[in-house]
Amino acid sequence: MKMLLYILLLLAITAAAALHLSPALRHEAQGLLQSSGLQTDTTTVYKWRSASGQWQYTQTPPPAGTPFERVEVRSDVNILPLPEALQRED
């Protein structure tokens, strides 16, 4: 039984090393995970109000001195919240 565990551990270490050392193989493995739904992409966006009062969502931080909120966006969910004007109190 111990020998089987050692073999499995050795295989896992070998697979991890191969993925770490081969960017092409790592990219292919990430593509497979994403297409299977096991891994999702996340992106950081910045939410802030412009000088005219409009909400802005950008991938780059706003101008210096502008208050902002950092939002983590997942590829498998809706990225924008429902605007306050459309929200209902039930």
Side-chain angles (χ1 to χ4, degrees), residues 46-58 62 66-71 80-85:
Y46 299 90
K47 176 184 171 183
W48 50 282
R49 283 194 190 261
S50 66
S52 63
Q54 297 294 315
W55 283 108
Q56 303 291 317
Y57 290 87
T58 60
T66 304
F68 66 91
E69 179 182 341
R70 185 174 288 132
V71 180
L80 298 176
L82 189 62
E84 291 178 26

Side-chain angles (χ1 to χ4, degrees), residues 18-38:
L19 286 173
H20 179 72
L21 296 174
S22 173
L25 187 57
R26 186 175 345 137
H27 181 71
E28 187 175 330
Q30 286 176 340
L32 286 172
L33 284 172
Q34 289 169 354
S35 66
S36 69
L38 296 175

Side-chain angles (χ1 to χ4, degrees), residues 82-90:
L82 189 62
E84 291 178 26
L86 297 177
Q87 292 179 2
R88 287 187 278 162
E89 295 289 329
D90 291 331

Side-chain angles (χ1 to χ4, degrees), residues 4-17:
L4 178 62
L5 290 176
Y6 287 133
I7 291 171
L8 290 175
L9 181 61
L10 181 62
L11 286 172
I13 291 171
T14 304

